Amino acid sequence: MMAPEHAMVAIAMGNVILLRAALFPLLEEDSLVMSHMDPSDIIATPFPLHKVCTFVALSLMWNLAVALICRAMTKHNNLQHDHTRDVHWKSATLHVISVLGVLTVIIHFVFILCGIHPTVFLLHTLASAFYVALNMLLPVLLLVPIHCISHKHHNSASNAVTFKLKEVNNYLFGSVLMLTNERQTQKQQNGNNRIQQHVFRCATLGTVIGMGACAILRVLDHGMQIQRYPIPTLVGATWGCCGGAIIGLALMKVIGYPP
């Protein structure tokens, strides 16, 4: 059986492979073609938008494929068996799309606040924001046991989206005690919930740290292909998420941190 924390690691590692296969070959080709150009001109040349969108689309399909496999393998598990039937798949799909869209807009404005020009290469920024939102939010919505992320009904779509974002934020950054409202009697279930939350949290923090670390590439004037926008954002988010997920799982499995 594929546990959610293992699925998260698989998604993160798959994105690293996709990044290497979809983007890096073109960077290697362009490094030869642009070898005569001034370093500042190389940096000012954005990476082709269609290549960025192709990579983001592949990442989306990989997220969905791993999530569907994981859910199919755990559909008879008592954590999800009695609850998933109550959520209609069409309304649930629209709900996930709405939440993902809102988070994309939020991250897009965060990028602008961090120094990205609001109008130059707008679609590149939007695609990068969607990729970050996709890998921060979609695995949580699709993989986390449904009793950990509430599915209450609300009178308006805006209230539902706001509530969902708060729930995800609480799950990723709140206390482990917030995982359930009812008293648990099975220590194994508590342990699994703790591992899952810790891995998802580390993956999210790794994404943020990775993007912050790679942001230094924007201020260097070395003319490296990896400095072309939005490659630093994609590389930082991808490697950061992968590293965070692996470290989080290793800490829980090997030394049992946090207690």
Side-chain angles (χ1 to χ4, degrees):
M1 182 180 67
M2 181 185 292
E5 62 270 20
H6 298 149
M8 181 68 244
V9 173
I11 289 174
M13 295 180 66
N15 283 330
V16 171
I17 297 174
L18 290 175
L19 179 73
R20 180 66 181 86
L23 302 186
F24 277 48
L26 183 59
L27 291 177
E28 295 172 358
E29 294 178 6
D30 288 349
S31 65
L32 299 177
V33 176
M34 298 182 176
S35 59
H36 66 285
M37 296 175 59
D38 186 80
S40 59
D41 293 333
I42 295 176
I43 298 173
T45 304
F47 196 76
L49 180 61
H50 71 280
K51 289 290 185 179
V52 175
C53 292
T54 299
F55 167 66
V56 175
L58 291 173
S59 177
L60 173 60
M61 290 187 288
W62 176 244
N63 270 269
L64 293 175
V66 174
L68 290 175
I69 293 173
C70 180
R71 291 176 69 91
M73 295 175 66
T74 59
K75 66 179 179 179
H76 297 299
N77 190 290
N78 57 2
L79 293 180
Q80 301 212 15
H81 178 70
D82 294 329
H83 300 275
T84 51
R85 296 178 181 179
D86 297 332
V87 182
H88 195 276
W89 70 270
K90 289 185 178 179
S91 61
T93 301
L94 292 175
H95 192 63
V96 169
I97 293 174
S98 301
V99 176
L100 189 59
V102 171
L103 186 61
T104 298
V105 174
I106 293 174
I107 294 176
H108 180 83
F109 280 104
V110 171
F111 284 170
I112 293 175
L113 292 176
C114 291
I116 300 299
H117 198 284
T119 58
V120 177
F121 309 134
L122 175 62
L123 295 180
H124 288 75
T125 305
L126 190 60
S128 302
F130 176 75
Y131 173 75
V132 175
L134 168 71
N135 287 283
M136 288 178 62
L137 185 65
L138 194 61
V140 176
L141 295 178
L142 296 181
L143 295 174
V144 172
I146 204 165
H147 71 275
C148 297
I149 302 294
S150 177
H151 285 261
K152 295 180 180 179
H153 295 285
H154 296 268
N155 295 330
S156 66
S158 60
N159 289 340
V161 171
T162 302
F163 179 81
K164 181 63 68 176
L165 286 174
K166 290 181 179 179
E167 286 285 300
V168 173
N169 178 73
N170 289 338
Y171 180 78
L172 291 175
F173 304 108
S175 171
V176 176
L177 296 178
M178 299 179 65
L179 281 173
T180 58
N181 294 323
E182 299 178 357
R183 186 177 180 180
Q184 295 288 346
T185 59
Q186 298 182 0
K187 293 183 179 180
Q188 181 67 32
Q189 181 172 330
N190 278 331
N192 290 338
N193 290 339
R194 188 160 55 92
I195 293 174
Q196 292 162 15
Q197 185 190 27
H198 185 65
V199 171
F200 281 106
R201 176 182 298 175
C202 288
T204 302
L205 292 176
T207 300
V208 176
I209 294 172
M211 288 189 295
C214 288
I216 193 175
L217 294 174
R218 297 181 57 243
V219 300
L220 299 178
D221 193 25
H222 294 171
M224 297 182 295
Q225 288 293 317
I226 199 173
Q227 293 180 261
R228 295 169 62 188
Y229 189 71
I231 298 300
T233 301
L234 299 179
V235 170
T238 303
W239 280 98
C241 179
C242 184
I246 293 175
I247 292 174
L249 184 61
L251 288 174
M252 290 298 296
K253 294 291 188 179
V254 177
I255 63 177
Y257 176 86

